[in-house]
């Protein structure tokens, strides 16, 4: 066999032809396989990272909406006032508990259809009202929802309820008294996992084996699995990305074995949820390696078959060429040149497609950057709205204080008016007493006048002896007349005083009525300003949540921009690899042309 190859012309031609055909095919095939595998690898890494981040953002938005809902419920005045009454010692609260439970079922639960149940807990941790039946009086004082809920808004990790036979996520918040501003209890909203599963079971673009699921800090699945039924809180996940995140709070994208022991391509996320809620959740987006790299395997098989077919053709041509010398060799060279041209055309198309993809990715990256700038403007506007709402809240609070001061001043005026009215009444009574005294004096003067007349008559009867007594009687009469005139003047003055005090009493009463009306209107204005302040506070809180959501969107846009930049780099690498394949094919075609010229010369 060795003699045939190295000493016979036919063997040399066959060996030379196979060498010239197989080596370029091996080079082109390897480069195509390697570039395809690297491109798919980067694309899946970037795609799965984007999916994991988007699902994390969706879960964060879902939890923020539910915490916003519990804050709205905790500001309900009826709930706070009723719970404050129920906390009083010796208070019969059966009717109030029933009214509060009815309020939860009819007025609060319909606001969020995803709520499974609402509980209101007193200061001792016992359920005093619930939208669910049969749990009144249950003691939850040792539950994290009560302990942490007394301090602030708390999201409890997913847990199983043996009573309901379901898994829940519970959110709690403190209830604050509107009068004492102290915590009077806790309100809790329970949600089943339908809302979270709606986010994770969306598997569009993830093929037949792709899935997204969430792992808690204890490394158990807490959302539905595509491959294992009833995996929630039962299936342990101790994979590389879970350990990396739980121990170092780092995300990753790579190839590793999943909880089934099957090699997969996957990416993880969780930093946003950990910072916002401290849950320690890891979000994983994964797809089986066999499905992810299936196109590369198909490409490898095609390259092997093409190489095998070309080798057979070249071997046959070499055999014929060794038999028919120049003409068969010439025909073989033509076939080789034709094959090289076809391969060159195909690789040129691949290179053009790669260049087009790189251009499209670059345009998409530019568009994402523009959207990012628009989102930045939206964040700034949302911040301005939040600041304006906060300033308006401060102004309304200042207005409420001014109204309170006005009410206090009018209350003092009212008390002064009542004091004036009482003084005028006492003056009127004293004037009446003086009038009675004047009447007595007038009667006395009248009697004295009559007595002086009688004395004068008696003096006249006594003639000479009564002259002195007549003078005295006349003086007494004069004094009686003067007293009568004086009492008449005093009576006139008292009448004027009566009229003046009567008018003053009427004026004081009218002033008291006006002051009372002013107090009532000020109280109404205070209540209106109070309601306005509460609404402005809610608006400020909503504006703050909008700012947080916009900032979260900005984070998502940064991640999308980063992913597009990675895809852009991968496309550029793919284009470069395609160019290398094109150059190798061009070299193969030139080699065929050289061989053709050599045969023609000889």
């Amino acid at each position: 066999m060795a003699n045939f190859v190295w000493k016979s012309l036919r063997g040399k031609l066959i060996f030379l032809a196979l060498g010239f055909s197989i080596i370029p095919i091996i080079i082109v095939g390897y480069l195509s396989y390697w570039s395809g595998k690297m491109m798919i690898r980067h694309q899946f890494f970037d795609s799965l990272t984007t999916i994991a981040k988007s699902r994390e953002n969706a879960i964060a938005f879902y939890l923020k909406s539910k915490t916003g809902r519990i804050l709205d419920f905790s500001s309900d005045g009826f709930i706070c006032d009723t719970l404050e009454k129920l906390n009083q010692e010796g208070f019969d609260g059966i009717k109030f508990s029933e009214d509060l439970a009815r309020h939860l079922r009819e007025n609060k639960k319909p606001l969020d259809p995803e709520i499974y149940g609402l509980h209101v807990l007193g200061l001792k941790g016992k359920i005093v009202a619930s939208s669910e039946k049969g749990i009144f009086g249950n003691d939850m004082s040792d539950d994290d929802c009560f302990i942490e809920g007394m301090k602030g808004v708390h999201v409890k990790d997913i847990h199983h309820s043996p009573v309901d036979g379901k898994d829940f996520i519970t959110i709690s918040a403190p209830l604050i008294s509107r009068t004492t501003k102290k915590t009077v209890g806790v309100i809790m909203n329970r949600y089943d996992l339908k809302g979270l599963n709606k986010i994770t079971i969306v598997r569009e673009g993830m093929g037949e084996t792709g899935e997204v699921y969430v792992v808690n800090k204890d490394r158990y699945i807490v959302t539905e699995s595509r491959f294992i039924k009833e995996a929630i809180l039962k299936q342990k996940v101790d994979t590389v990305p879970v350990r990396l995140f739980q121990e170092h709070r780092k995300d990753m994208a790579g190839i590793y074995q999943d909880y089934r022991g099957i090699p997969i391509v996957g990416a993880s996320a969780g930093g946003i949820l950990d910072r916002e809620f401290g849950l320690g959740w890891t979000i994983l987006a994964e797809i089986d390696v066999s499905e992810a790299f299936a196109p590369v395997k198909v490409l490898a098989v095609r390259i092997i078959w093409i190489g095998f077919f070309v080798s057979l053709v070249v071997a046959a041509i070499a055999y014929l060429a060794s038999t028919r010398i120049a003409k068969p060799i010439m025909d073989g060279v033509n076939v080789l040149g034709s094959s090289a041209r076809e391969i060159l055309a195909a690789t040129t198309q691949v290179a053009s497609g790669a260049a087009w993809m790189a251009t499209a990715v670059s345009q998409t990256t530019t568009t994402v950057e523009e959207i990012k700038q628009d989102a930045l403007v939206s964040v700034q506007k949302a911040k301005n709205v939040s600041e304006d709402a906060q300033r308006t809240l401060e102004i309304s609070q200042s207005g409420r204080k001014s109204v309170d001061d006005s009410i206090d001043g009018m209350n003092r005026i009212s008390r002064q008016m009542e004091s004036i009215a009482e003084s005028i009444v006492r003056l009127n009574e004293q004037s009446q007493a003086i009038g009675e005294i004047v009447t007595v004096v007038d009667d006395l003067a009248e009697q004295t006048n009559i007595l002086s007349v009688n004395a004068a008559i008696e003096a006249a009867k006594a003639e000479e002896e009564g002259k002195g007594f007549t003078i005295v009687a006349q003086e007494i009469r004069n004094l009686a007349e003067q007293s009568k005139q004086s009492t008449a003047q005093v009576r006139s003055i008292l009448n004027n005083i009566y009229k003046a005090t009567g008018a003053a009493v009427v004026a004081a009463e009218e002033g008291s009525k006006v002051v009372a009306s002013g107090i009532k209107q000020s109280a109404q204005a205070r209540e209106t300003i109070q309601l306005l302040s509460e609404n402005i506070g809610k608006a400020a809180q909503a504006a703050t949540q909008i700012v947080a959501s916009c900032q979260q969107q900005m984070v998502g846009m940064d991640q999308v921009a980063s992913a597009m930049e990675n895809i852009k780099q991968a496309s550029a690498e793919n284009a470069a690899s395609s160019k290398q394949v094109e150059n190798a094919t061009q070299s193969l075609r030139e080699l065929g042309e050289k061989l053709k010229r050599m045969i023609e010369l000889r």
Side-chain angles (χ1 to χ4, degrees):
M1 184 66 181
N3 292 332
F4 172 76
V5 172
W6 296 111
K7 293 183 178 181
S8 67
L9 178 61
R10 182 179 298 176
K12 290 180 180 180
L13 289 174
I14 293 174
F15 181 79
L16 183 63
L18 288 175
F20 278 116
S21 63
I22 292 175
I23 292 175
I25 290 174
I26 292 174
I27 295 173
V28 172
Y30 174 76
L31 291 176
S32 299
Y33 176 80
W34 180 82
S35 63
K37 185 175 182 179
M38 290 298 102
M39 180 183 68
I40 291 176
R41 179 188 177 96
H42 286 297
Q43 287 178 347
F44 268 103
F45 284 175
D46 295 336
S47 176
L48 292 173
T49 300
T50 302
I51 291 173
K53 294 292 185 183
S54 66
R55 297 297 192 278
E56 181 187 19
N57 289 331
I59 293 173
F61 181 78
Y62 172 81
L63 293 179
K64 283 184 178 180
S65 67
K66 300 310 177 186
T67 54
R69 179 67 64 190
I70 196 71
L71 285 174
D72 178 55
F73 286 1
S74 67
S75 63
D76 188 295
F78 178 79
I79 296 176
C80 295
D81 294 343
T82 305
L83 182 58
E84 190 171 10
K85 294 177 181 178
L86 290 172
N87 284 335
Q88 297 176 5
E89 292 292 337
F91 188 81
D92 184 10
I94 299 299
K95 181 179 181 304
F96 284 92
S97 294
E98 292 176 350
D99 292 342
L100 184 55
R102 188 180 307 107
H103 179 69
L104 296 177
R105 288 192 301 269
E106 297 178 358
N107 299 327
K108 291 303 175 184
K109 189 175 181 180
L111 296 177
D112 190 351
E114 293 183 351
I115 294 178
Y116 188 85
L118 290 87
H119 306 327
V120 174
L121 283 67
L123 289 174
K124 296 182 179 180
K126 291 185 178 181
I127 297 177
V128 298
S130 174
S131 63
E132 303 177 44
K133 296 181 179 180
I135 62 173
F136 175 78
N138 286 5
D139 190 354
M140 298 186 66
S141 58
D142 295 333
D143 196 291
D144 290 345
C145 288
F146 173 73
I147 297 172
E148 299 298 329
M150 290 288 289
K151 303 175 184 177
V153 178
H154 174 66
V155 179
K156 183 177 180 180
D157 204 344
I158 294 171
H159 53 282
H160 183 74
S161 172
V163 177
D164 301 289
K166 292 185 178 182
D167 301 309
F168 295 99
I169 182 169
T170 305
I171 304 175
S172 58
L175 292 170
I176 309 299
S177 170
R178 296 196 296 174
T179 56
T180 64
K181 305 303 180 184
K182 294 182 179 179
T183 302
V184 294
V186 173
I187 184 170
M188 296 166 47
N189 287 358
R190 288 206 305 168
Y191 297 89
D192 57 23
L193 303 188
K194 292 180 181 178
L196 287 177
N197 286 328
K198 285 181 181 179
I199 297 174
T200 58
I201 63 175
V202 177
R203 303 186 180 103
E204 183 178 354
M206 299 190 71
E208 299 295 328
T209 60
E211 66 171 340
V212 178
Y213 57 95
V214 180
V215 178
N216 66 7
K217 61 184 178 182
D218 296 324
R219 302 184 184 181
Y220 283 96
I221 290 180
V222 293
T223 55
E224 290 185 1
S225 168
R226 187 170 192 169
F227 306 103
I228 300 176
K229 293 183 178 180
E230 300 181 357
I232 298 176
L233 295 177
K234 296 179 181 179
Q235 178 62 48
K236 186 84 170 181
V237 180
D238 193 15
T239 56
V240 174
V242 174
R243 291 195 298 270
L244 182 64
F245 184 80
Q246 295 293 342
E247 296 172 2
H248 304 288
R249 290 297 186 266
K250 291 184 179 180
D251 302 334
M252 70 160 286
I255 299 175
Y256 53 89
Q257 288 188 345
D258 68 354
Y259 58 91
R260 299 169 295 159
I262 296 176
I264 54 92
V265 182
S268 64
I272 295 174
L273 286 174
D274 190 58
R275 289 192 299 271
E276 295 288 340
F277 303 100
L279 294 174
W281 287 359
T282 307
I283 292 83
L284 297 170
E286 300 173 344
I287 187 171
D288 288 2
V289 168
S290 58
E291 182 178 6
F293 293 103
V296 177
K297 293 181 179 179
V298 173
L299 176 62
V301 171
R302 289 180 179 176
I303 291 174
I304 292 173
W305 277 106
I306 291 173
F308 179 72
F309 176 74
V310 171
S311 299
L312 291 178
V313 171
V314 170
I317 292 172
Y319 178 79
L320 293 174
S322 64
T323 305
R324 300 181 181 179
I325 312 300
K327 188 176 181 306
I329 294 176
M330 191 67 181
D331 293 340
V333 170
N334 289 333
V335 172
L336 179 62
S338 178
S339 299
R341 283 192 296 272
E342 290 177 359
I343 295 174
L344 178 61
T347 54
T348 301
Q349 290 178 355
V350 172
S352 299
W356 177 85
M357 181 182 292
T359 302
V361 169
S362 178
Q363 293 174 353
T364 304
T365 304
T366 303
T367 304
V368 169
E369 186 63 30
E370 293 175 355
I371 295 174
K372 178 181 175 183
Q373 295 300 323
D374 293 339
L376 183 61
V377 173
S378 298
V379 169
Q380 188 60 42
K381 291 182 178 178
K383 286 183 179 178
N384 294 336
V385 171
S386 177
E387 292 173 357
D388 293 341
Q390 191 64 36
R391 286 195 294 271
T392 306
L393 177 60
E394 294 174 355
I395 293 171
S396 66
Q397 291 175 347
S398 176
R400 184 177 65 184
K401 184 178 182 302
S402 299
V403 171
D404 290 339
D405 295 340
S406 299
I407 291 174
D408 294 338
M410 297 189 77
N411 284 327
R412 290 194 296 272
I413 293 172
S414 177
R415 290 192 293 271
Q416 291 293 330
M417 291 298 295
E418 291 176 356
S419 177
I420 292 171
E422 291 175 357
S423 299
I424 293 172
V425 169
R426 287 195 299 271
L427 177 62
N428 192 19
E429 293 174 352
Q430 294 173 358
S431 299
Q432 290 177 355
I434 294 171
E436 293 175 356
I437 294 171
V438 169
T439 301
V440 173
V441 173
D442 189 34
D443 292 341
L444 182 61
E446 186 66 27
Q447 295 295 328
T448 303
N449 189 24
I450 295 171
L451 181 61
S452 65
V453 171
N454 292 332
I457 294 172
E458 293 297 328
K461 290 180 180 180
E463 296 180 353
E464 190 66 31
E465 290 82 0
K467 286 183 180 181
F469 188 72
T470 300
I471 294 172
V472 173
Q474 184 62 38
E475 289 298 325
I476 292 173
R477 185 179 181 183
N478 291 338
L479 289 173
E481 287 294 333
Q482 290 177 3
S483 297
K484 190 174 183 179
Q485 291 176 0
S486 297
T487 55
Q489 292 176 357
V490 171
R491 183 176 286 108
S492 177
I493 292 171
L494 288 175
N495 288 333
N496 291 334
I497 291 174
Y498 292 155
K499 293 179 182 179
T501 54
V505 169
V506 172
E509 290 177 351
E510 291 296 329
S512 296
K513 292 179 180 178
V514 171
V515 170
S517 176
I519 291 173
K520 182 178 180 181
Q521 292 177 357
S522 297
Q524 292 175 351
R526 182 183 182 280
E527 292 177 358
T528 302
I529 292 176
Q530 175 68 22
L531 180 60
L532 177 62
S533 177
E534 291 177 356
N535 291 334
I536 291 173
K538 292 179 180 178
Q541 182 181 0
T544 302
Q545 293 177 351
I546 291 173
V547 170
S549 298
C550 291
Q551 291 175 342
Q552 194 63 47
Q553 292 177 2
M554 278 296 299
V555 174
M557 292 304 301
D558 288 336
Q559 294 168 354
V560 172
S562 176
M564 290 302 300
E565 185 64 29
N566 293 333
I567 294 174
K568 180 179 178 181
Q569 293 177 0
S571 299
E573 293 175 359
N574 184 33
S577 299
S578 300
K579 188 65 177 176
Q580 292 175 357
V581 174
E582 183 180 6
N583 292 336
T585 308
Q586 180 67 25
S587 299
L588 176 62
R589 189 182 67 83
E590 292 175 356
L591 182 61
E593 292 293 335
K594 288 181 180 180
L595 181 59
K596 181 178 180 181
R597 286 194 298 270
M598 289 174 62
I599 295 173
E600 288 176 347
L601 289 174
R602 295 182 182 273

